[in-house]
Amino acid sequence: MIKIAFIILTWNSEKYINNCIKSILDLNFSKIYISIVDNGSTDSTLEILENLRSDKKNVYLNLIKLKNNLGTTISRNLAIKEVKDKVDYICILDSDTIINQNAIEHMIILLNKSKKNGIVGPMMKSLDGTIQPSGRNIPTLTVKILKVLPFSFIKKIGEDLEKIDIKYDNNILKVGYLMSACWLIKVEVIEKIGLLDEKIFYAPEDVEFCLRAWINGYNVLYDKNIEIIHEWQRISRKKLISKHNWEHIKGLIYLFFKYKYMFSTKKFEKIILENR
């Protein structure tokens, strides 16, 4: 009997949330919990969610309404704490994703292949078929600087430095971290390493959590055999000067100090290579 919870944040997500929730309702598992946290939407997101209430007996949908945008960590943690004692797997999803039965089933199989497999993510594609770099190396200050400079060839150098290619199995890679647009996690991982770090508002909460998983002996795996749709909004790229970008900078500074690194990820790559 598979019991799985989907954790979704919304914030003015009226263009995407309908397709996301409907893709979950199309799944076939014993128990499905959908916990949605709305970070103070001012568009029609809440109205859409109210109309999406499911009459399927195996699906439980709960909506947590917040007055203000509390970011990704506090909000997701509220939902995780609500469902973690009811399920075996938690799927962190962005509201602009569209998932499918095959992807979720294969991620569950991969998680259960080894006790050390803690977090799994699929290949993500845009609606036009563009593959997104969702499995990456741990970021350094050098990489981040190169990627924001206004020269395409320099950005390409930064993107290449961010790539990681440590084979786990057929078309499955061990990666430093996965974009949190779609994670499947064993609940036992959360019980062992804790919730998302609430000292980070927006990003890089995904890097921090995956680093903690690696340090505690869990694999973070990118499965290129399966795929989902991610209508990538890339909010932080829309404006150079914005609250999202400022929070991202603060999060990176916090990450570098917490894990005592800045320019080299060799100590983490050693952990990734040695963990089997």
Side-chain angles (χ1 to χ4, degrees), residues 168-187:
Y168 172 82
D169 202 348
N170 181 35
N171 231 18
I172 300 170
L173 302 177
K174 296 163 101 178
V175 294
Y177 80 103
L178 292 160
M179 284 170 51
S180 58
C182 182
W183 285 354
L184 192 68
I185 314 171
K186 291 175 180 173
V187 168

Side-chain angles (χ1 to χ4, degrees), residues 26-209:
D26 285 340
L27 300 176
N28 183 25
F29 292 110
S30 302
K31 290 283 178 65
I32 296 174
Y33 294 84
I34 306 172
S35 189
I36 305 165
V37 183
D38 184 78
N39 269 312
S41 291
T42 55
D43 62 0
S44 62
T45 297
L46 292 174
E47 181 182 347
I48 292 169
L49 289 171
E50 290 294 344
N51 291 331
L52 280 171
R53 299 280 184 181
S54 174
D55 58 359
K56 293 175 70 174
K57 292 183 178 179
N58 65 323
V59 177
Y60 304 85
L61 192 152
N62 184 53
L63 175 60
I64 301 171
K65 300 177 185 178
L66 303 178
K67 292 182 179 179
N68 301 304
N69 189 343
L70 299 183
T72 56
T73 55
I74 293 173
S75 304
R76 280 177 174 155
N77 284 345
L78 285 171
I80 291 170
K81 284 184 277 191
E82 180 196 13
V83 299
K84 68 182 180 65
D85 295 328
K86 302 173 183 176
V87 298
D88 303 307
Y89 309 96
I90 287 179
C91 185
I92 304 290
L93 276 183
D94 275 3
S95 60
D96 53 2
T97 55
I98 300 172
I99 60 169
N100 58 80
Q101 184 80 20
N102 181 63
I104 302 298
E105 284 182 352
H106 277 76
M107 287 193 287
I108 290 172
I109 290 169
L110 182 53
L111 280 179
N112 291 326
K113 191 172 183 178
S114 168
K115 290 183 178 180
K116 289 197 170 186
N117 293 348
I119 309 173
V120 177
M123 178 187 292
M124 290 191 279
K125 290 185 176 181
S126 305
L127 284 172
D128 63 4
T130 302
I131 297 174
Q132 300 164 12
S134 50
R136 307 176 183 180
N137 199 356
I138 303 300
T140 62
L141 181 59
T142 303
V143 167
K144 290 297 181 180
I145 291 172
L146 290 173
K147 287 180 67 178
V148 299
L149 291 176
F151 305 101
S152 58
F153 72 96
I154 293 179
K155 286 183 179 181
K156 180 68 164 54
I157 294 171
E159 290 169 356
D160 288 342
L161 288 173
E162 208 171 30
K163 292 178 181 177
I164 187 167
D165 190 10
I166 300 175
K167 189 174 182 180
Y168 172 82
D169 202 348
N170 181 35
N171 231 18
I172 300 170
L173 302 177
K174 296 163 101 178
V175 294
Y177 80 103
L178 292 160
M179 284 170 51
S180 58
C182 182
W183 285 354
L184 192 68
I185 314 171
K186 291 175 180 173
V187 168
E188 67 180 65
V189 175
I190 295 170
E191 291 172 344
K192 181 174 180 178
I193 75 174
L195 298 165
L196 295 164
D197 190 332
E198 295 185 359
K199 291 182 180 178
I200 299 173
F201 176 84
Y202 162 66
E205 90 295 345
D206 44 10
V207 180
E208 194 285 326
F209 191 82

